[in-house]
Amino acid sequence: MKTRLLTTSAVLLGITLATTGGAFAQCTEIGMLTWEGYVDDAWVKPFEEETGITVKRTYVGSNDEYMAKLAAGGGDYDVVTIVSSLAERAIGAGFVEPLDVAQLPHIEQIFAGFRDLEFIHKDGELYGVPTFWGTTPVTVNADVIPEGEDFGILFDPEYAGRIGMWEDVTTIADVASYLGYDNLWTLTDEQLEEVKKKMIEQKSLVRTYWSQAGEAIELFASGEIVASNSWNYITQALREQGVNVREFVPENPVGWLDSNFVVKGSDCAAEAHAFIDHLIAPKTQGQIAEATGYTVTNPESREFMDEAVWEQLYMDEGPDLLERIEFWQDIPRRGRYLEVWNEVKAARQ
Amino acid sequence: MSGATVQDAGAARGWRIPGGWLLVGPPLLYLLVFLVIPYGEILLHSVWQVDGYVISRTLTGDNYARIVENPLYRQVLWNSFSTALLVTLFALAIGYPLAFFLAFVARRHRQMLYFLVVIPLLTSFLLRAYTWKIILGRSGLVNSTLTSLGLTDGPLDLFLYNQFSVVLTLVYIFVPFVTLPIYASLEKLSRDQIEASLDLGARPFTTFRRVILPLSLPGVVAGGTFTFALSFGDFVAPSLLGGPNEIMIANVIISQFGTAFDWPFGSALAMVVVVIVLAIVGIGARLEKR
């Protein structure tokens, strides 16, 4: 017992020395604000055992809740996972603080394209560490639509009454991207009108709009719909249920990226850095990919991942896909985007 | 115990105010906490505006102007209105005969039937809406029955994800709401009046039209108002069972508080709904008095 205590202290001391450059401010517990399932025991336990730092996790149910919790004062948390669409706002609002890259040895390994993304930087400083991401793919019933990888499937009269669409502002971006626009998050009034026109045109083909993943899964499983813009998770869940579905990424896909940040004013910044770095370590990334079905940012994770998973998660296409992807970003005119959605639904053909 | 005695003694000496306050206090407090403050908050928010993730407290009429200017909001209010009207009419058409049956026809089984009317109210709204989805879907009960009877070749789409499924579900949910008040007013109705009418030679239908119906109108108005107000503000049925066209005002309001983060605009929309519903309740109350 005594020796173990000694070893732990020695390790702790080592880490503290290594990460804070000798200053004696050590924490034995850090708080993390994240989604459930993102920080599983499988990869948190090894960190806790290795460092003696306990990771206290608080789960959040929606992106809006994140902002509310951070706005209410970050005091309880040291690390927070923030999605790309809110990153700029969180940095701008001063909820998070700049990172010390020297304390993140693994950051060199992640795809450069992620490291250089604008919305995780401010004034030349890095704020967030991109950890995993996904696209909004198109999921189709492979029995009915065995081939074709075009977003246009969702506008094909052949599948009239069998199309589903995700009722979310992201869908506006999906359709805008299909129409060839590249300013997905800052569409002009004219462009929004075009998107709206296209979506109203599509209405006669649409069975229903869904808003929760569970709804989409059920719509596919019960045969109500055969194609929808979707989430990787939905395809995954349907496969597990034995539904013959396939998914593809449109030419210019829309995607989301979750990055980890250090909360402003954290007393345990060094430990927070250590944990954030642990989450992009190759082994952890392999575990995350297998457990969550989300694509990860560190290609060195290949050896810790099943080959099938590697392919399914587009890891091979990584840098190439990254070029074409449009990550969710802050939508300055969010209210207007939503209004377009409502106008689509209220329109009488 | 001793407190009560002191109180009583005080009251006996004509010192009534504390006792009176004790009686009036809790309801007043309730009104203040659950009505005045929340509605006041909504009213205030409706004349503020949002700037990013911050609500700025400068007075503005912009939110109301937006509601008037964009035909979207009239369309959505109309959707809610027409859906609520349909639901109310159908619920009354089903609820009235049901209440009549309970009050006058069912004798031995009245308790059990009454219980059967009430029992759906003990289950969650969401669950009941969801059940209809299972019944009406492509692989649902209706379609599989039709197909197995050889009446249709394949599953029909027309039962689910349209106005029909929304109205049907709401009618199902609100039938107990109209049945119970109508039953209550029929129950109170004195048998002597009916017998007098019949004795004086009125035929049963005339008796119903001239005696029973007018006397049960308060129940009809109460149940109808309830149903109208509640289905006007519903958002679950259109989002669970509605198709691409089903959008009601409550769906729009909810998205202002979530996705759009525009509480002020959502509040302005909510105020419009409050005014419409109050007007309906007012008309109902007036009808009831006559």
Side-chain angles (χ1 to χ4, degrees):
Chain A
M1 199 60 217
K2 203 164 185 178
T3 36
R4 182 146 172 225
L5 192 74
L6 271 173
T7 344
T8 321
S9 321
V11 169
L12 256 180
L13 187 68
I15 285 193
T16 318
L17 286 175
T19 52
T20 59
F24 274 93
Q26 66 181 46
C27 298
T28 50
E29 185 181 278
I30 55 172
M32 180 169 194
L33 193 62
T34 190
W35 295 92
E36 187 160 10
Y38 276 21
V39 276
D40 201 81
D41 277 342
W43 54 89
V44 174
K45 280 266 154 17
F47 175 80
E48 291 181 334
E49 275 159 25
E50 198 182 311
T51 61
I53 301 166
T54 314
V55 182
K56 204 178 114 229
R57 289 155 270 181
T58 306
Y59 300 125
V60 170
S62 76
N63 283 319
D64 300 321
E65 217 182 315
Y66 270 102
M67 296 304 267
K69 277 217 157 70
L70 287 172
D76 298 337
Y77 317 105
D78 302 288
V79 181
V80 58
T81 310
I82 300 178
V83 70
S84 43
S85 50
L86 293 175
E88 242 176 309
R89 250 176 219 218
I91 298 171
F95 294 157
V96 288
E97 55 181 50
L99 296 168
D100 175 11
V101 182
Q103 293 184 47
L104 302 164
H106 288 109
I107 199 151
E108 287 304 317
Q109 294 178 346
I110 73 172
F111 288 123
F114 286 110
R115 236 174 14 235
D116 301 339
L117 286 167
E118 237 170 82
F119 56 80
I120 47 171
H121 288 86
K122 192 190 165 194
D123 302 330
E125 286 193 281
L126 180 72
Y127 279 74
V129 177
T131 307
F132 36 80
W133 59 283
T135 53
T136 51
V138 175
T139 302
V140 297
N141 182 320
D143 292 331
V144 183
I145 314 173
E147 52 192 45
E149 298 217 329
D150 182 15
F151 195 78
I153 284 179
L154 299 174
F155 298 87
D156 189 341
E158 205 186 321
Y159 310 115
R162 301 265 79 84
I163 303 289
M165 288 298 261
W166 179 22
E167 192 173 347
D168 188 274
V169 283
T170 312
T171 296
I172 305 252
D174 276 342
V175 176
S177 170
Y178 175 60
L179 291 177
Y181 303 135
D182 53 12
N183 52 328
L184 305 186
W185 317 106
T186 52
L187 294 169
T188 64
D189 283 330
E190 292 74 39
Q191 291 172 326
L192 280 170
E193 278 308 305
E194 289 302 313
V195 170
K196 187 167 105 187
K197 223 172 83 193
K198 190 80 193 162
M199 290 178 69
I200 291 176
E201 219 177 275
Q202 185 203 28
K203 271 179 83 176
S204 59
L205 314 179
V206 171
R207 179 73 168 136
T208 192
Y209 301 119
W210 54 270
S211 46
Q212 312 277 335
E215 271 181 275
I217 292 167
E218 188 198 296
L219 284 165
F220 272 107
S222 60
E224 299 281 350
I225 61 171
V226 296
S228 178
N229 63 332
S230 144
W231 311 353
N232 308 112
Y233 166 76
I234 291 168
T235 318
Q236 193 61 32
L238 283 163
R239 281 195 187 118
E240 275 163 28
Q241 283 186 26
V243 183
N244 184 18
V245 287
R246 62 187 180 92
E247 74 170 23
F248 58 85
V249 175
E251 184 51 30
N252 292 301
V254 173
W256 52 270
L257 169 71
D258 273 327
S259 310
N260 288 309
F261 293 75
V262 173
V263 177
K264 180 93 164 194
S266 161
D267 296 327
C268 307
E271 291 78 3
H273 275 79
F275 186 60
I276 290 174
D277 190 63
H278 173 75
L279 291 174
I280 52 164
K283 185 166 180 212
T284 320
Q285 290 259 296
Q287 288 172 310
I288 292 176
E290 291 203 339
T292 63
Y294 298 129
T295 311
V296 289
T297 52
N298 187 346
E300 306 275 320
S301 58
R302 187 170 196 158
E303 58 175 303
F304 299 99
M305 200 188 293
D306 195 71
E307 195 56 29
V309 175
W310 176 269
E311 267 167 44
Q312 225 171 57
L313 297 181
Y314 312 99
M315 286 299 288
D316 265 335
E317 294 180 58
D320 177 45
L321 191 58
L322 202 54
E323 291 276 297
R324 296 186 280 127
I325 228 167
E326 274 288 344
F327 282 111
W328 292 1
Q329 278 181 46
D330 187 34
I331 307 173
R333 295 200 303 155
R334 224 176 150 70
R336 181 59 198 142
Y337 273 54
L338 183 78
E339 202 164 56
V340 166
W341 242 123
N342 290 336
E343 283 165 5
V344 168
K345 287 193 82 178
R348 291 280 171 263
Q349 295 116 304
Chain B
M1 244 350 195
S2 63
T5 328
V6 170
Q7 206 63 254
D8 291 343
R13 259 182 257 125
W15 189 54
R16 289 169 189 279
I17 299 157
W21 274 112
L22 271 183
L23 208 62
V24 181
L28 270 185
L29 192 70
Y30 175 88
L31 281 179
L32 188 70
V33 172
F34 292 106
L35 268 153
V36 179
I37 294 177
Y39 282 98
E41 272 283 291
I42 293 175
L43 184 63
L44 269 180
H45 271 87
S46 77
V47 291
W48 288 341
Q49 65 194 129
V50 77
D51 182 19
Y53 273 89
V54 186
I55 290 163
S56 92
R57 303 185 169 193
T58 33
L59 288 189
T60 170
D62 286 359
N63 296 321
Y64 290 101
R66 190 171 150 198
I67 297 173
V68 176
E69 277 160 19
N70 192 334
L72 164 70
Y73 300 102
R74 258 165 284 156
Q75 175 67 48
V76 173
L77 280 164
W78 170 248
N79 289 357
S80 292
F81 186 86
S82 59
T83 305
L85 197 64
L86 278 176
V87 171
T88 310
L89 293 177
F90 282 118
L92 284 172
I94 297 169
Y96 198 98
L98 196 58
F100 190 89
F101 185 85
L102 269 177
F104 299 121
V105 185
R107 285 163 206 274
R108 267 189 322 130
H109 303 297
R110 186 186 293 176
Q111 289 297 325
M112 197 190 69
L113 286 171
Y114 184 85
F115 184 64
L116 284 178
V117 171
V118 176
I119 208 168
L121 296 177
L122 304 175
T123 331
S124 118
F125 183 120
L126 208 63
L127 193 71
R128 283 180 287 154
Y130 211 83
T131 311
W132 277 108
K133 209 165 148 161
I134 297 168
I135 296 172
L136 300 170
R138 276 175 70 84
S139 45
L141 188 68
V142 176
N143 265 314
S144 53
T145 310
L146 285 176
T147 315
S148 65
L149 289 176
L151 292 172
T152 53
D153 288 338
L156 299 177
D157 282 347
L158 46 92
F159 304 117
L160 186 58
Y161 299 124
N162 48 33
Q163 197 182 20
F164 167 76
S165 51
V166 173
V167 172
L168 175 73
T169 305
L170 289 174
V171 168
Y172 164 72
I173 283 166
F174 290 119
V175 159
F177 283 80
V178 299
T179 309
L180 296 181
I182 296 174
Y183 172 73
S185 53
L186 290 174
E187 175 88 308
K188 274 192 306 194
L189 215 148
S190 144
R191 302 280 152 145
D192 300 346
Q193 286 169 311
I194 299 170
E195 273 164 28
S197 168
L198 292 171
D199 286 349
L200 289 172
R203 275 183 292 181
F205 183 69
T206 316
T207 305
F208 171 74
R209 200 166 52 87
R210 310 266 317 253
V211 180
I212 302 178
L213 188 62
L215 287 171
S216 63
L217 269 186
V220 172
V221 170
T225 316
F226 248 147
T227 303
F228 188 90
L230 290 176
S231 44
F232 190 91
D234 184 65
F235 66 94
V236 174
S239 71
L240 268 186
L241 298 121
N245 291 314
E246 274 62 56
I247 175 170
M248 284 170 55
I249 190 68
N251 302 89
V252 177
I253 295 177
I254 278 207
S255 55
Q256 299 306 324
F257 285 86
T259 315
F261 201 82
D262 196 343
W263 292 22
F265 185 59
S267 301
L269 286 168
M271 279 321 291
V272 173
V273 172
V274 168
V275 169
I276 293 175
V277 169
L278 278 181
I280 301 285
V281 173
I283 294 169
R286 206 158 250 232
L287 281 177
E288 210 168 8
K289 270 187 200 144
R290 282 197 190 153

Short mmCIF file of all heavy atoms in Angstrom, two decimals, chain A residues 82-106:
data_model
loop_
_atom_site.label_atom_id
_atom_site.label_comp_id
_atom_site.label_asym_id
_atom_site.label_seq_id
_atom_site.Cartn_x
_atom_site.Cartn_y
_atom_site.Cartn_z
N ILE A 82 -17.00 21.00 -27.35
CA ILE A 82 -17.88 21.95 -28.04
C ILE A 82 -17.92 21.63 -29.53
O ILE A 82 -16.89 21.38 -30.15
CB ILE A 82 -17.44 23.41 -27.81
CG1 ILE A 82 -17.45 23.74 -26.31
CG2 ILE A 82 -18.35 24.38 -28.56
CD1 ILE A 82 -16.99 25.14 -25.97
N VAL A 83 -19.12 21.62 -30.06
CA VAL A 83 -19.31 21.30 -31.47
C VAL A 83 -18.90 22.51 -32.33
O VAL A 83 -18.95 23.65 -31.88
CB VAL A 83 -20.78 20.89 -31.72
CG1 VAL A 83 -21.72 22.07 -31.59
CG2 VAL A 83 -20.93 20.21 -33.07
N SER A 84 -18.52 22.22 -33.59
CA SER A 84 -17.99 23.27 -34.46
C SER A 84 -18.91 24.49 -34.59
O SER A 84 -18.44 25.61 -34.67
CB SER A 84 -17.69 22.70 -35.84
OG SER A 84 -18.73 21.84 -36.25
N SER A 85 -20.23 24.27 -34.58
CA SER A 85 -21.13 25.39 -34.80
C SER A 85 -21.14 26.37 -33.63
O SER A 85 -21.60 27.50 -33.77
CB SER A 85 -22.55 24.89 -35.08
OG SER A 85 -22.94 23.97 -34.10
N LEU A 86 -20.66 25.94 -32.48
CA LEU A 86 -20.68 26.84 -31.32
C LEU A 86 -19.29 27.30 -30.91
O LEU A 86 -19.14 28.14 -30.03
CB LEU A 86 -21.35 26.14 -30.13
CG LEU A 86 -22.85 25.86 -30.28
CD1 LEU A 86 -23.36 25.05 -29.10
CD2 LEU A 86 -23.63 27.15 -30.39
N ALA A 87 -18.26 26.71 -31.55
CA ALA A 87 -16.88 26.97 -31.13
C ALA A 87 -16.57 28.47 -31.15
O ALA A 87 -16.08 29.04 -30.17
CB ALA A 87 -15.92 26.20 -32.01
N GLU A 88 -16.88 29.10 -32.29
CA GLU A 88 -16.55 30.51 -32.43
C GLU A 88 -17.23 31.35 -31.35
O GLU A 88 -16.63 32.25 -30.78
CB GLU A 88 -17.05 30.99 -33.79
CG GLU A 88 -15.95 31.47 -34.70
CD GLU A 88 -16.50 31.83 -36.06
OE1 GLU A 88 -17.21 30.99 -36.65
OE2 GLU A 88 -16.22 32.94 -36.51
N ARG A 89 -18.49 31.03 -31.11
CA ARG A 89 -19.24 31.77 -30.11
C ARG A 89 -18.67 31.58 -28.71
O ARG A 89 -18.58 32.53 -27.94
CB ARG A 89 -20.69 31.31 -30.11
CG ARG A 89 -21.56 32.38 -30.65
CD ARG A 89 -22.96 31.92 -30.74
NE ARG A 89 -23.46 32.48 -31.98
CZ ARG A 89 -24.68 32.95 -32.15
NH1 ARG A 89 -25.54 32.87 -31.20
NH2 ARG A 89 -25.04 33.47 -33.29
N ALA A 90 -18.29 30.33 -28.40
CA ALA A 90 -17.76 30.04 -27.07
C ALA A 90 -16.42 30.77 -26.87
O ALA A 90 -16.15 31.30 -25.79
CB ALA A 90 -17.58 28.54 -26.89
N ILE A 91 -15.61 30.80 -27.92
CA ILE A 91 -14.33 31.51 -27.81
C ILE A 91 -14.59 33.01 -27.68
O ILE A 91 -14.06 33.68 -26.80
CB ILE A 91 -13.43 31.24 -29.06
CG1 ILE A 91 -13.10 29.75 -29.17
CG2 ILE A 91 -12.16 32.07 -29.00
CD1 ILE A 91 -12.42 29.35 -30.47
N GLY A 92 -15.47 33.50 -28.55
CA GLY A 92 -15.78 34.93 -28.54
C GLY A 92 -16.36 35.39 -27.21
O GLY A 92 -16.06 36.48 -26.74
N ALA A 93 -17.18 34.54 -26.61
CA ALA A 93 -17.83 34.90 -25.36
C ALA A 93 -16.89 34.75 -24.17
O ALA A 93 -17.24 35.09 -23.04
CB ALA A 93 -19.06 34.04 -25.15
N GLY A 94 -15.67 34.23 -24.42
CA GLY A 94 -14.71 34.08 -23.34
C GLY A 94 -15.00 32.93 -22.40
O GLY A 94 -14.61 32.95 -21.23
N PHE A 95 -15.68 31.89 -22.90
CA PHE A 95 -15.99 30.73 -22.06
C PHE A 95 -14.79 29.80 -21.93
O PHE A 95 -14.73 28.97 -21.03
CB PHE A 95 -17.16 29.93 -22.63
CG PHE A 95 -18.47 30.65 -22.61
CD1 PHE A 95 -19.49 30.29 -23.48
CD2 PHE A 95 -18.72 31.68 -21.70
CE1 PHE A 95 -20.72 30.95 -23.46
CE2 PHE A 95 -19.94 32.34 -21.67
CZ PHE A 95 -20.94 31.97 -22.57
N VAL A 96 -13.85 29.90 -22.88
CA VAL A 96 -12.72 28.96 -22.92
C VAL A 96 -11.42 29.73 -23.06
O VAL A 96 -11.43 30.91 -23.43
CB VAL A 96 -12.87 27.98 -24.10
CG1 VAL A 96 -13.98 26.99 -23.83
CG2 VAL A 96 -13.15 28.71 -25.41
N GLU A 97 -10.29 29.06 -22.76
CA GLU A 97 -9.03 29.80 -22.86
C GLU A 97 -8.06 29.16 -23.84
O GLU A 97 -8.19 27.99 -24.18
CB GLU A 97 -8.42 29.99 -21.47
CG GLU A 97 -8.19 28.71 -20.68
CD GLU A 97 -7.60 29.02 -19.30
OE1 GLU A 97 -8.14 29.89 -18.60
OE2 GLU A 97 -6.58 28.39 -18.95
N PRO A 98 -7.10 29.94 -24.32
CA PRO A 98 -6.16 29.41 -25.31
C PRO A 98 -5.36 28.24 -24.76
O PRO A 98 -5.10 28.17 -23.54
CB PRO A 98 -5.26 30.60 -25.64
CG PRO A 98 -5.56 31.67 -24.66
CD PRO A 98 -6.86 31.37 -24.02
N LEU A 99 -4.97 27.33 -25.64
CA LEU A 99 -4.25 26.13 -25.21
C LEU A 99 -2.74 26.35 -25.29
O LEU A 99 -2.26 27.17 -26.07
CB LEU A 99 -4.64 24.96 -26.10
CG LEU A 99 -6.09 24.53 -26.03
CD1 LEU A 99 -6.42 23.57 -27.16
CD2 LEU A 99 -6.40 23.89 -24.68
N ASP A 100 -2.06 25.57 -24.48
CA ASP A 100 -0.60 25.58 -24.54
C ASP A 100 -0.19 24.35 -25.34
O ASP A 100 -0.21 23.23 -24.83
CB ASP A 100 -0.03 25.53 -23.12
CG ASP A 100 1.48 25.42 -23.14
OD1 ASP A 100 2.07 25.58 -24.23
OD2 ASP A 100 2.05 25.17 -22.06
N VAL A 101 0.14 24.56 -26.62
CA VAL A 101 0.40 23.44 -27.52
C VAL A 101 1.54 22.55 -27.01
O VAL A 101 1.54 21.34 -27.23
CB VAL A 101 0.71 23.97 -28.95
CG1 VAL A 101 0.93 22.82 -29.92
CG2 VAL A 101 -0.43 24.84 -29.43
N ALA A 102 2.46 23.12 -26.28
CA ALA A 102 3.58 22.33 -25.75
C ALA A 102 3.10 21.23 -24.81
O ALA A 102 3.78 20.22 -24.62
CB ALA A 102 4.54 23.27 -25.01
N GLN A 103 1.92 21.42 -24.23
CA GLN A 103 1.39 20.40 -23.32
C GLN A 103 0.54 19.36 -24.04
O GLN A 103 -0.13 18.55 -23.39
CB GLN A 103 0.55 21.08 -22.23
CG GLN A 103 1.38 21.94 -21.29
CD GLN A 103 0.52 22.50 -20.18
OE1 GLN A 103 -0.24 21.79 -19.55
NE2 GLN A 103 0.66 23.81 -19.94
N LEU A 104 0.50 19.42 -25.36
CA LEU A 104 -0.33 18.49 -26.13
C LEU A 104 0.54 17.72 -27.13
O LEU A 104 0.49 18.00 -28.33
CB LEU A 104 -1.42 19.27 -26.87
CG LEU A 104 -2.37 20.12 -26.03
CD1 LEU A 104 -3.13 21.11 -26.90
CD2 LEU A 104 -3.34 19.24 -25.24
N PRO A 105 1.35 16.78 -26.64
CA PRO A 105 2.31 16.09 -27.53
C PRO A 105 1.66 15.40 -28.73
O PRO A 105 2.27 15.33 -29.79
CB PRO A 105 2.99 15.08 -26.61
CG PRO A 105 2.16 15.02 -25.37
CD PRO A 105 1.46 16.33 -25.26
N HIS A 106 0.42 14.92 -28.59
CA HIS A 106 -0.19 14.17 -29.69
C HIS A 106 -0.78 15.03 -30.78
O HIS A 106 -1.20 14.52 -31.81
CB HIS A 106 -1.25 13.21 -29.15
CG HIS A 106 -0.67 12.04 -28.42
ND1 HIS A 106 -0.77 11.91 -27.06
CD2 HIS A 106 0.05 10.99 -28.85
CE1 HIS A 106 -0.15 10.81 -26.68
NE2 HIS A 106 0.36 10.22 -27.75
#
